[in-house]
Each structure stands twice: as structure tokens, then as C-alpha cells.
Amino acid sequence: MMPLSRFTVLDLTRVRSGPTCVRQLADWGANVIKIEATDEVDTSKGMGGERHGPDFQLVHRNKRGMTLNLKSAEGRATLHRMVEKADVVVENYRPDVKARLGLDYDTLSKINPRIVLGSISGFGQTGPYAKRPGFDQIAQGMGGLMSVTGLPGQGPVRVGIPVADLTSGLYCAIGILVALLEREQTGKGRWVHVSLLEAMIGMMDFQATRWTMKGEVPKQAGNDHPTTTPTGLFQTTDGVVNLAGGGQNMWERIVAVLGIQEEAKDPDVANDKLRTKNRAKTNAMLQAVIGTNTSEYWVSRFNEAGVPCGPVYSMDQVFADRQVQHLGMEMPVEHPLLGQIKTVRAPMQIEGVECARRPTPERGEHTEEVLAEFGFSADEIAALRAQKAI
């Protein structure tokens, strides 16, 4: 038994945002059934990259797989029958498609008033952009992230991961868990819906509230922190280090480590506000000393003084780091066709419970097994197959 073993989740999601949501539930033991279109309907064999590639194997792990033709009346009827016994349905269709397939909350809640429906869209379930197709990079641009990312003056820059997809998935998973907790008191389900645009604006955090509260439009700050100095990258004799030293207390520690007590008497760097105003001068003061020794030297010296400082890794260096190895972020999984593969475990740790390690299912691998668990007889399953509903 795992923390979420008592919940059955029907996963109708594709690509990344929806699968990211469902993976949060699957990793902690939820009975997740990944429902894909049949071969006749989906000749491309699914969305989200090569099935045996790292992307697909990451986002769809810890699930069982079945096929279902939701374009057929028999397929939709089968899904509705499964909804009767399920706890959660998650989908990321466009709002108009959802209604056409009978996956809207009004329909599902009449079948099962306890059902929790999680929906992820590009721009929201209603409004002038509701029918637009959603894509991560579009949300990064419209949510403001690209306007503050990159070096000053170089123009908008996308982040190197699909951050809108990932955060909308995380927010939706949190909402589903909230709805399940409430259901324990009320006995009724909820519709939880998140959009890539809302998630991206929410993730803009203090950069967003700089505008809503103070009317400030944040600009690109490159590797410097937008509002406090010194925080950024500094060249060493063999690379760069990341230094985070905002605030007066941290500044005094930096001054002591670098031995720049005389230089720090300059009135232009007397407090955090002035140091940020005179950022170039502040950074140059530090760079003059940091550039005389190695990255390893400065990482050690600053951390000993209680100043956050670290290297800047490529991905191979990330997994070679002794702390990352200690944390066990690289997680082996046995795949029936690929052998042992290594993926990335869930980043939270729950004492006494391990992240589940079930490989991503093959297309339709568990169709008959799952339907039998939902009460379908062998004859009914054979009929569905003959009708090309599964």
C-alpha cells in the first residue's frame, strides 16, 4: 500500500502538461490507467515523442495502459462506465473537444457525483482565447517570462525547459489533491481546471506583483538578481561561480571573505539599494578578487562563511555531483523491452515511502486486465474489440 493507492485515476492526457499532473499521483501509488486512442484512430502512435525515448518514459511511468476509441459511441460508453468506479479523470483537450467527447464535468458528475475532473488548457475553459491551441513557449511569452529572461537588451528568451507545461501540471495535481481532501468531508467531487497561461503568470511570483502592486515593469537582468545585488555569475580562473549575497548581512560576509574592507567603504555600495543601483561597480569590485582563484576555492570559502555559492553545471556534471548522488535523484527502472533504464525520481521525499518504479506501459498493454477489473465480462471485451472500440 502506498499513500494514494486507494484512488483510481483515468488518464486521458497527452504531450506534457497533463502527463506531468498525473505522474505526481502515479509516483505515490495511485491506480492510474493511461487511456490512449486505438491504432485505427491514432496512426501516429500518440503524442509526446518517441514511446521508448526518455521524454515519454519519464512522464508516463507508474501507469497501466489501455486503448479506447472515444470517437465511437461504444468507446465513450465504456469510458463512462469506468467513470462510475473511478475517483479522478484528467484531460488536456481543448474545451470544445472535451464537450464533444462527453468529458465535460457536467456529464461526468451526473455519472459519478464523487468524480474529480482535472483539466488543463492553453488559456482557460472560457474567454476569448479558450479555443486556441496551447503550447508551452506561447505561454512563456504571454505570461511575461520571456520578457525578463536573458541578458539586458538581447530581446526575449525562452527558458530551457517547458516551464509552463510543468507548472500547470503541478498546479493541477495540487488542485486534485485539494478536491480529494474536500470530498472526504462533502462526498462530492469538483472540477479543477488550470491553464498554461494562468500557471505561467502564477509562477512569475514577485515579478508579477512588482507590476500589480507598484506599477513596475520588470526588465531583463541576465544572471543578476532583478532587485538585489550582488547575486549572479562571477568568472574564476577555471570557470564561473554562482553567488547569492543580497542583504547587508550577506554583503558584510562577502567583504570579509574577499578582504575588500577598504573598497567597501565606497558610499556607492553602502547599502543594498545603492549596490543594486550601482550594480556594475559592485560586481566589478567582487570580480577583481574572485577572478584570481578557482571555482572550487571560492565555493568552499563562501559556503564556510555562510554565503550561498555554487558551481554552474552541465547535465552530466549535475549527476556526477556527490550531493546529487547521495540524494539518489537518478532512479533505475526495469523495462520489459528496454532493460534497466534510469529516470529521475520524484523530488520530494516522504519518510518511509519510496517513489513507485513501474515502467511506462506499452500501447494498450493492459486493456483487457483493466476492463475486467471494472466489471467487463470476457464477452463484452470481445464485443468491444470487434466494434473497434478498444
Side-chain angles (χ1 to χ4, degrees):
M1 294 294 292
M2 294 185 68
L4 300 181
S5 295
R6 66 189 185 277
F7 298 116
T8 293
V9 180
L10 305 183
D11 176 13
L12 297 165
T13 66
R14 302 166 298 165
V15 192
R16 176 159 297 278
S17 61
T20 295
C21 166
V22 178
R23 191 183 72 202
Q24 313 313 309
L25 311 176
D27 278 354
W28 301 106
N31 174 28
V32 175
I33 297 144
K34 175 174 170 50
I35 300 174
E36 298 179 80
T38 58
D39 290 335
E40 290 80 10
V41 173
D42 182 10
T43 56
S44 67
K45 300 297 186 290
M47 300 175 67
E50 180 190 357
R51 185 170 213 98
H52 292 154
D55 195 8
F56 203 92
Q57 291 296 312
L58 173 67
V59 298
H60 292 296
R61 69 189 184 202
N62 295 322
K63 307 173 183 180
R64 290 185 293 166
M66 66 172 288
T67 55
L68 199 57
N69 178 6
L70 294 179
K71 291 186 176 181
S72 72
E74 295 83 2
R76 291 191 296 274
T78 299
L79 177 67
H80 288 168
R81 185 167 160 184
M82 295 175 71
V83 168
E84 293 175 10
K85 295 185 176 182
D87 297 285
V88 179
V89 175
V90 187
E91 57 81 25
N92 57 345
Y93 291 103
R94 290 202 307 270
D96 56 325
V97 175
K98 175 171 46 261
R100 191 164 65 246
L101 294 177
L103 300 174
D104 56 288
Y105 182 67
D106 285 346
T107 298
L108 299 185
S109 63
K110 289 175 183 175
I111 298 168
N112 179 359
R114 292 174 56 82
I115 201 72
V116 173
L117 174 63
S119 299
I120 302 177
S121 62
F123 301 97
Q125 298 296 317
T126 58
Y129 302 162
K131 293 184 179 180
R132 287 188 181 183
F135 192 77
D136 175 85
Q137 188 161 327
I138 307 304
Q140 286 193 33
M142 293 179 67
L145 180 61
M146 291 173 68
S147 74
V148 300
T149 303
L151 299 173
Q154 79 173 115
V157 177
R158 73 179 292 276
V159 175
I161 58 170
V163 62
D165 280 345
L166 298 176
T167 53
S168 61
L170 290 171
Y171 280 131
C172 191
I174 293 170
I176 288 169
L177 293 173
V178 169
L180 288 172
L181 284 171
E182 185 200 34
R183 193 182 72 173
E184 293 180 358
Q185 295 177 306
T186 66
K188 295 182 179 180
R190 289 278 191 184
W191 184 19
V192 177
H193 49 91
V194 179
S195 69
L196 272 63
L197 181 59
E198 290 168 291
M200 195 68 268
I201 295 171
M203 284 299 292
M204 291 304 291
D205 199 68
F206 76 95
Q207 294 281 49
T209 51
R210 286 174 68 186
W211 164 252
T212 60
M213 291 184 65
K214 301 175 70 175
E216 295 179 4
V217 178
K219 303 295 184 183
Q220 290 169 311
N223 292 312
D224 293 309
H225 191 278
T227 60
T228 188
T229 303
T231 299
L233 295 184
F234 293 87
Q235 295 287 328
T236 66
T237 57
D238 61 354
V240 295
V241 291
N242 238 332
L243 184 67
Q248 192 63 29
N249 181 266
M250 234 21 115
W251 170 250
E252 291 171 1
R253 295 182 188 181
I254 292 171
V255 169
V257 169
L258 298 179
I260 54 172
Q261 288 83 354
E262 287 302 313
E263 292 87 338
K265 293 178 181 178
D266 188 326
D268 285 347
V269 297
N271 57 50
D272 196 45
K273 187 174 181 179
L274 286 169
R275 287 190 290 274
T276 299
K277 179 182 179 182
N278 301 298
R279 174 173 282 156
K281 185 174 187 177
T282 305
N283 287 347
M285 189 181 296
L286 275 59
Q287 182 61 66
V289 182
I290 293 175
T292 65
N293 218 316
T294 66
S295 297
E296 184 178 359
Y297 174 83
W298 290 119
V299 169
S300 177
R301 288 289 309 279
F302 280 122
N303 278 286
E304 287 173 0
V307 178
C309 181
V312 177
Y313 286 151
S314 58
M315 195 52 61
D316 57 329
Q317 293 172 320
V318 170
F319 285 95
D321 183 275
R322 58 180 182 171
Q323 182 64 23
V324 175
Q325 292 182 350
H326 169 78
L327 293 170
M329 288 301 296
E330 193 172 16
M331 187 177 77
V333 175
E334 289 294 331
H335 191 284
L337 298 179
L338 303 177
Q340 187 182 89
I341 60 174
K342 293 181 179 179
T343 183
V344 179
R345 71 161 175 81
M348 72 284 276
Q349 297 195 41
I350 303 174
E351 286 297 315
V353 185
E354 287 191 6
C355 176
R357 300 192 182 200
R358 186 169 189 154
T360 292
E362 292 300 296
R363 187 184 184 89
E365 180 180 346
H366 305 100
T367 299
E368 294 189 8
E369 172 185 311
V370 167
L371 288 175
E373 291 176 9
F374 277 84
F376 288 78
S377 68
D379 288 343
E380 287 176 313
I381 294 171
L384 288 171
R385 200 170 288 284
Q387 294 161 344
K388 295 185 178 182
I390 59 174

